[in-house]
Amino acid sequence: MTNLTSYLRLLSATLISLTLFLAHADAAINASFTGPIASPDILTDLSPLPATDTLPAPAMGQADGVNLSQIDSSSSISTNFLLGQPGRSWFPNGGDNGYTEISLTSGEDFDAISFYLGAGGLVNFLGYQVLDDGASLVNSTISWSGSGWYTIQGDSGEIFDEVRLLASVTNSVIGSGATNALAVVQVAVSVVPEPSTAGLFVGIGALAFVGARRK
């Protein structure tokens, strides 16, 4: 019975690893000029950010559970570049050669995220990179459609915990060092719920059952 239990545990661990690998390998996550997502768990106009045109680099901020950072940038951040929208903004003054990184303060995963975006100059493309636990799932671009709501989500419920964005004249992905003029004004997030307590009890019950059978 001990050998069978060990085999089942090994099989379970292998299946979990394989599932995670396939989820990353088959991730089909796309950006589109549509949104915002319906019934978001978090919707912020970034109003908790300080009102300033010179948030010094390297810039980091938090608003209603959303983290924003400006990476590979020496530009200060303006929170007053509002594009006619309420609240605050996240815009590198004069542009930069970096990108905006967005995640949740809680570290939770999400399966869809929308942004009201604009630009501080002429741009033709939106570059976006999606990551989960530090692993890049996609690094691509779409055509810029002007100021408005853009949404990033998977085709089959793929989850992720970090998004990186830039807006450029050239068709450039994140990390290319392209000139960036992106302004983020609002953010909406669909958070993936943590495993339920009921599920935890089911797992504990299963382990207890296996232990009883071994006796």
Side-chain angles (χ1 to χ4, degrees):
M1 196 66 183
T2 300
N3 290 338
L4 178 59
T5 300
S6 298
Y7 172 76
L8 291 174
R9 288 176 177 171
L10 178 60
L11 179 61
S12 176
T14 302
L15 288 174
I16 291 172
S17 298
L18 180 60
T19 300
L20 292 174
F21 172 79
L22 291 175
H24 280 214
D26 296 338
I29 301 172
N30 302 295
S32 58
F33 184 65
T34 182
I37 53 178
S39 304
D41 299 291
I42 297 174
L43 175 60
T44 178
D45 62 4
L46 308 185
S47 57
L49 294 175
T52 179
D53 286 321
T54 56
L55 191 65
M60 294 181 290
Q62 294 184 358
D64 299 317
V66 175
N67 288 345
L68 300 103
S69 301
Q70 201 65 19
I71 309 299
D72 294 341
S73 175
S74 59
S75 296
S76 63
I77 293 294
S78 170
T79 65
N80 295 322
F81 190 78
L82 300 180
L83 305 168
Q85 300 298 306
R88 298 293 171 203
S89 67
W90 188 268
F91 171 65
N93 272 317
D96 64 10
N97 296 99
Y99 54 88
T100 301
E101 182 179 276
I102 299 176
S103 62
L104 296 183
T105 306
S106 65
E108 290 176 290
D109 291 325
F110 39 98
D111 56 14
I113 185 167
S114 297
F115 322 86
Y116 192 97
L117 303 178
L122 175 66
V123 299
N124 296 319
F125 296 93
L126 174 68
Y128 67 100
Q129 184 178 20
V130 179
L131 302 94
D132 187 39
D133 293 332
S136 179
L137 305 181
V138 62
N139 192 1
S140 188
T141 64
I142 60 170
S143 295
W144 181 256
S145 298
S147 298
W149 284 99
Y150 292 77
T151 295
I152 296 176
Q153 61 185 348
D155 292 337
S156 304
E158 290 85 357
I159 63 173
F160 39 99
D161 59 17
E162 183 182 316
V163 171
R164 300 171 178 176
L165 302 169
L166 66 81
S168 181
V169 172
T170 59
N171 190 1
S172 303
V173 297
I174 301 298
S176 62
T179 300
N180 168 51
L182 182 73
V184 181
V185 182
Q186 297 185 54
V187 181
V189 187
S190 173
V191 181
V192 176
E194 294 293 329
S196 66
T197 304
L200 178 62
F201 283 130
V202 169
I204 293 173
L207 290 175
F209 175 77
V210 170
R213 290 292 301 270
R214 288 181 64 182
K215 292 180 180 179

